[in-house]
Amino acid sequence: MTDSVKFNRACVIGVGLIGSSLAHAMRTAALVDEIIGVDRDADVIARAQKLGVIDKGETDLVKGVKGADLIIVSTPVGAIGAVAAELASAADDGALIIDVGSVKGVALDAAKAMPERVHFVPCHPVAGTEQSGPEAGFASLFHDRWCILTPAPRDDDAYKAAVDKAAALWSGVGAKVEIMTAEHHDLALAVTSHLPHLIAFTIVGAADDVESVAAGEIVKYSAGGFRDFTRIAASDPVMWRDVFLNNKEAVLEVLGRFSEELAVMQRAIRWGDGQALEDAFTRVRGLRKAIVEAGQESAAPNFGRDDKPR
Amino acid sequence: MTDSVKFNRACVIGVGLIGSSLAHAMRTAALVDEIIGVDRDADVIARAQKLGVIDKGETDLVKGVKGADLIIVSTPVGAIGAVAAELASAADDGALIIDVGSVKGVALDAAKAMPERVHFVPCHPVAGTEQSGPEAGFASLFHDRWCILTPAPRDDDAYKAAVDKAAALWSGVGAKVEIMTAEHHDLALAVTSHLPHLIAFTIVGAADDVESVAAGEIVKYSAGGFRDFTRIAASDPVMWRDVFLNNKEAVLEVLGRFSEELAVMQRAIRWGDGQALEDAFTRVRGLRKAIVEAGQESAAPNFGRDDKPR
Ligand SMILES: NC(=O)c1ccc[n+]([C@@H]2O[C@H](COP(=O)([O-])OP(=O)(O)OC[C@H]3O[C@@H](n4cnc5c(N)ncnc54)[C@H](OP(=O)(O)O)[C@@H]3O)[C@@H](O)[C@H]2O)c1
Ligand SMILES: NC(=O)c1ccc[n+]([C@@H]2O[C@H](COP(=O)([O-])OP(=O)(O)OC[C@H]3O[C@@H](n4cnc5c(N)ncnc54)[C@H](OP(=O)(O)O)[C@@H]3O)[C@@H](O)[C@H]2O)c1
């Protein structure tokens, strides 16, 4: 694995939260000389340019990627296939293409379909916020977070070198790199990201459903726990639609486990089985401690958000 | 409603997160001259005294409450009935008794069973953290949070004055006061607090269940959303056991609504109905905005917990 890496011209396709964060981060770490933005929305391009995220912008992908030795596909997952198909002919020879999509099966398919002359390495930085758009990006987003690579099954040295370069890029912006199969990624992330989002969307939606409790009351008493769920439920609907459409099997599989566990809890409540509830609640406490110790979470009570004098 | 209130001697029964926070807050606002702590655990008493939470401590409730004009029952919900039964004879004439329990039906029953000479006003401050014990308490916990009072159906002036005093006490520590029936409280809080906790406990428990995903991976990739749930799932198991044992009907009712909504989501995923998913995800975004605008949540991305240079 190369320790440092440098690109002449990066082209970011889809200048949103992740694309602009990576642009900021690469600039901060001096990993790139010039950054071109491509977005189907000219307004996004204009805003990103004004913010200094990109040097130049293009709504035309073919023009935008010309001369780029690094192409970052940071669109929603549903667009990766079509963008990759365009890149198959539009990308310069030898270009490194990475995506940042939250589902890797679909990116792997796109990577496999690429001609040998370009090198598509599917990537997923496990980092983000509930916000979107170029304004939401910031350079330190990937610090101490994991980035998972799911390379295509290619044995040629050029591709292997491209995987190393991709890994060095993510290390260069502060991330820790892991390599695994797309299949395993999609199951692991169904557990740690996709199901949590689905449940958050669902619980926030279900709250509206209890007729005798007014929306105003839900707002007022949300500090009882509900507000935690509204954070990830505020995430971009299109991005998440695409995640569920493209990781159906794994999500349905972990959802089945969740539903079983919920049925056990429901029965314990119905039967008034305090011991079963207490045991179940006690068992889950260790995981947060491990997450805090691994540097993946704040140790402060309430995530530190109630930043009042103590 | 009286605007300010002052007590000579407060007795806090159960010197944990909420009891010690209220002690700190009352002291900071100069609402009380002396604070006595009662806990069944002598070690808790000793720690609370060392922290300056209480002036004196007692493991014997009858001795502890002698001379107190304010008695705060801040034990888990399951202990409120037994503590109240002791207070029926042990409390001084005219004493104001409040509890802080997360379920109000059980506190209301206790309040109704009280002799007329003492005044039990059930209260629930909708504020907290995932931590417990006297060390976890802090004075500003109730600032800008709602406190719900569910008074007993008593018409005498002494009780009405006690309700006013309880309201003034909560206002005095920075909370906003609302009065409603215990029944409505228990349904509203089932939505905004009890169901979210149950779901968080369940999802964290279910994560363990997917054999091919290791615990270490759950920790590493928890920043994908999972870590949010571990916060409330780290809350005290006994406290939450008691909540579910004592608010069974309302919790099962809102859990039913949640399960219906989840079935709808599951079907949309199985059928690949992207429009239904996108619509559902779009609908829920407004609620967080309203919660942030109401001052019940931080507007910072990721709750502001990733406090890195931007
Ligand atoms: N948000 C997270 O927490 C997170 C974390 C890790 C990975 N990811 C992944 O990162 C990717 C981007 O997510 P994001 O959060 O950065 O979303 P975002 O802020 O909404 O940015 C996506 C950008 O891509 C543009 N776009 C959509 N389709 C396009 C196309 N066909 N060609 C060119 N541009 C297109 C969008 O334009 P419009 O606004 O016009 O649609 C938008 O500017 C997704 O694949 C997501 O799964 C997200
Ligand atoms: N945590 C929250 O976010 C929150 C928010 C609003 C309301 N509440 C309510 O506030 C109450 C207290 O919760 P907390 O979070 O402060 O819990 P906590 O930190 O665990 O404190 C509870 C204290 O009560 C003691 N205790 C238990 N049974 C007792 C008894 N029979 N007599 C005397 N002391 C006894 C406990 O001692 P041991 O340690 O020996 O058991 C502990 O010191 C609960 O009713 C809860 O529903 C909690």
Side-chain angles (χ1 to χ4, degrees):
Chain A
M1 210 175 277
T2 40
D3 283 330
S4 80
V5 69
K6 179 77 193 256
F7 299 94
N8 296 319
R9 180 186 287 185
C11 176
V12 178
I13 304 174
V15 193
L17 166 69
I18 302 296
S20 67
S21 290
L22 191 49
H24 281 301
M26 291 182 69
R27 226 190 269 281
T28 303
L31 303 181
V32 66
D33 284 332
E34 190 184 16
I35 303 178
I36 313 296
V38 168
D39 205 284
R40 56 180 188 183
D41 188 343
D43 182 53
V44 167
I45 294 289
R47 281 152 50 206
Q49 204 162 350
K50 213 169 149 196
L51 287 161
V53 175
I54 56 175
D55 297 305
K56 277 192 284 193
E58 258 301 340
T59 50
D60 185 293
L61 184 142
V62 176
K63 284 194 201 146
V65 298
K66 198 158 276 332
D69 51 350
L70 172 66
I71 299 170
I72 297 159
V73 184
S74 42
T75 65
V77 166
I80 293 173
V83 168
E86 285 197 76
L87 293 176
S89 56
D92 275 20
D93 278 352
L96 168 63
I97 303 173
I98 64 171
D99 78 311
V100 297
S102 306
V103 183
K104 296 269 61 79
V106 60
L108 179 64
D109 290 344
K112 284 181 185 166
M114 276 289 156
E116 276 214 13
R117 58 171 203 90
V118 291
H119 314 299
F120 188 149
V121 181
C123 303
H124 177 206
V126 187
T129 78
E130 66 277 21
Q131 306 193 332
S132 350
E135 290 79 7
F138 56 103
S140 63
L141 179 62
F142 310 109
H143 280 186
D144 298 328
R145 297 288 164 263
W146 290 88
C147 182
I148 300 171
L149 274 51
T150 65
R154 269 179 63 175
D155 270 340
D156 53 305
D157 289 342
Y159 190 75
K160 285 191 212 152
V163 174
D164 286 351
K165 255 203 253 177
L169 164 59
W170 288 109
S171 301
V173 297
K176 303 188 261 195
V177 174
E178 191 85 87
I179 294 187
M180 62 178 73
T181 65
E183 198 185 355
H184 187 72
H185 169 278
D186 288 355
L187 184 62
L189 272 290
V191 174
T192 65
S193 178
H194 308 171
L195 180 67
H197 276 80
L198 184 69
I199 295 302
F201 287 127
T202 303
I203 199 169
V204 176
D208 266 353
D209 238 48
V210 183
E211 299 83 10
S212 47
V213 177
E217 291 185 302
I218 294 169
V219 170
K220 280 156 94 172
Y221 313 131
S222 60
F226 184 78
R227 61 178 177 167
D228 283 30
F229 292 75
T230 63
R231 185 187 80 76
I232 60 181
S235 301
D236 188 63
V238 170
M239 168 191 157
W240 283 99
R241 175 201 69 193
D242 281 4
V243 168
F244 295 114
L245 292 178
N246 288 285
N247 198 22
K248 186 158 130 168
E249 282 73 25
V251 168
L252 291 176
E253 158 75 16
V254 301
L255 182 52
R257 306 299 180 109
F258 171 82
S259 297
E260 274 173 35
E261 188 81 13
L262 191 59
V264 172
M265 294 286 202
Q266 184 166 13
R267 193 176 311 124
I269 293 174
R270 198 183 295 286
W271 290 1
D273 187 346
Q275 195 60 52
L277 292 171
E278 191 183 336
D279 290 349
F281 302 165
T282 303
R283 252 194 325 270
V284 300
R285 298 185 96 182
L287 210 43
R288 181 170 182 82
K289 220 171 144 253
I291 292 171
V292 169
E293 281 166 7
Q296 298 299 315
E297 175 60 296
S298 160
N302 278 346
F303 306 116
R305 68 180 151 200
D306 295 315
D307 50 348
K308 304 164 181 164
R310 305 280 305 218
Chain B
M1 213 175 274
T2 39
D3 282 332
S4 79
V5 68
K6 180 76 193 260
F7 299 94
N8 296 319
R9 180 185 288 183
C11 176
V12 177
I13 304 174
V15 193
L17 167 69
I18 302 296
S20 67
S21 290
L22 192 48
H24 280 302
M26 291 182 69
R27 227 192 267 282
T28 303
L31 302 181
V32 65
D33 285 332
E34 191 184 15
I35 303 179
I36 313 298
V38 168
D39 205 285
R40 56 182 188 182
D41 188 342
D43 182 51
V44 167
I45 293 290
R47 280 149 52 204
Q49 204 163 349
K50 215 170 147 195
L51 288 160
V53 175
I54 56 175
D55 297 305
K56 278 190 285 192
E58 259 300 340
T59 50
D60 185 294
L61 182 142
V62 176
K63 282 192 201 149
V65 298
K66 199 158 271 346
D69 50 351
L70 172 66
I71 298 169
I72 298 159
V73 184
S74 42
T75 65
V77 166
I80 293 173
V83 168
E86 284 198 77
L87 293 175
S89 55
D92 275 19
D93 279 352
L96 169 62
I97 303 172
I98 63 171
D99 78 311
V100 297
S102 305
V103 182
K104 298 268 61 82
V106 59
L108 179 63
D109 290 344
K112 284 182 185 166
M114 276 289 158
E116 275 215 13
R117 61 172 200 88
V118 291
H119 314 298
F120 187 148
V121 181
C123 302
H124 177 208
V126 186
T129 77
E130 66 276 21
Q131 306 193 331
S132 347
E135 290 80 7
F138 56 102
S140 64
L141 179 63
F142 309 109
H143 281 186
D144 298 328
R145 296 289 166 262
W146 289 88
C147 182
I148 299 171
L149 274 49
T150 65
R154 268 177 65 173
D155 270 340
D156 55 305
D157 288 343
Y159 190 74
K160 284 192 215 154
V163 173
D164 286 352
K165 254 203 254 180
L169 163 60
W170 288 110
S171 301
V173 297
K176 303 187 260 193
V177 174
E178 192 86 87
I179 294 187
M180 63 178 69
T181 65
E183 198 185 355
H184 187 71
H185 168 280
D186 287 355
L187 184 62
L189 271 290
V191 174
T192 64
S193 179
H194 308 170
L195 181 67
H197 276 81
L198 184 69
I199 295 302
F201 286 126
T202 303
I203 199 170
V204 176
D208 265 353
D209 238 48
V210 183
E211 298 82 12
S212 48
V213 177
E217 290 185 302
I218 295 170
V219 170
K220 279 156 93 171
Y221 313 131
S222 61
F226 184 78
R227 60 178 179 166
D228 284 29
F229 291 76
T230 63
R231 186 188 78 77
I232 60 181
S235 302
D236 188 62
V238 170
M239 170 191 157
W240 283 99
R241 175 201 69 193
D242 281 5
V243 167
F244 295 114
L245 292 178
N246 288 284
N247 197 24
K248 184 158 133 170
E249 281 74 27
V251 169
L252 291 176
E253 158 74 19
V254 302
L255 182 51
R257 306 300 181 107
F258 171 82
S259 297
E260 275 174 35
E261 189 83 11
L262 190 60
V264 172
M265 296 285 202
Q266 184 167 11
R267 194 178 310 125
I269 293 173
R270 195 182 298 284
W271 290 359
D273 187 347
Q275 195 59 51
L277 292 171
E278 191 182 336
D279 289 350
F281 301 166
T282 304
R283 252 194 325 269
V284 302
R285 298 185 96 181
L287 211 43
R288 182 171 181 81
K289 220 172 142 250
I291 291 170
V292 169
E293 282 166 6
Q296 297 301 313
E297 176 61 294
S298 160
N302 278 347
F303 306 117
R305 69 180 151 201
D306 295 315
D307 51 348
K308 304 166 185 165
R310 305 277 307 212

